Every structure is written in C-alpha cells, then in structure tokens.
Amino acid sequence: MICDWSIGDLPGLNKPEQLLLQELGIMTTGQLLLVAPDAATKQQLASSLGAKIQYVNKLVALADLARLPGVGCQY
C-alpha cells in the first residue's frame, strides 16, 4: 500500500510555504510528486514558491520517501 500524506506533515516545511503549496492546489505528498516529476516542473514550482530548486528537490525527495508505509513522514 502506498501512503499519501497531508503536505503539512512533511518535515522542514514551514507554514507560509505550506500555504503557498496549498494555494497552488498541492494538498498532499502524492500531489506534490505529480506536479514535480522532472527538473523543469521543479524549477517552475521553485519559482512559484520563491525558493531555490534544491529546496524543492528536498521536498520532492521527502514526499517520495513518505510513500513507503514503514517510513511515512516520521524521519
């Protein structure tokens, strides 16, 4: 079973960034993975958030790990 978590459950995500992601329609870790499948879309997301691409890469990696039932959002 693949788990899908609330975007606010990702570690290291502060409240303003969480709200920005939600304004972009990203409410879950699964949605984050869907909207950022490649470097170009990650760069667009970083621009929308006013963040560096490395930060978006980190969020996507954490969302990917969260899909594992034994890992989730508890790192």
Side-chain angles (χ1 to χ4, degrees), residues 51-65:
K52 294 182 179 182
I53 186 69
Q54 293 89 345
Y55 180 71
V56 172
N57 286 335
K58 174 187 165 186
L59 290 180
V60 171
L62 290 172
D64 192 29
L65 281 172

Side-chain angles (χ1 to χ4, degrees), residues 6-50:
S6 168
I7 200 69
D9 290 338
L10 282 179
L13 183 65
N14 64 40
K15 192 67 170 175
E17 290 161 344
Q18 177 186 344
L19 293 174
L20 281 172
L21 286 169
Q22 291 173 338
E23 287 174 10
L24 295 171
I26 302 169
M27 305 294 180
T28 67
T29 55
Q31 290 173 332
L32 176 59
L33 292 171
L34 287 174
V35 301
D38 55 41
T41 55
K42 288 176 188 172
Q43 184 61 55
Q44 289 174 345
L45 182 58
S47 294
S48 296
L49 293 173

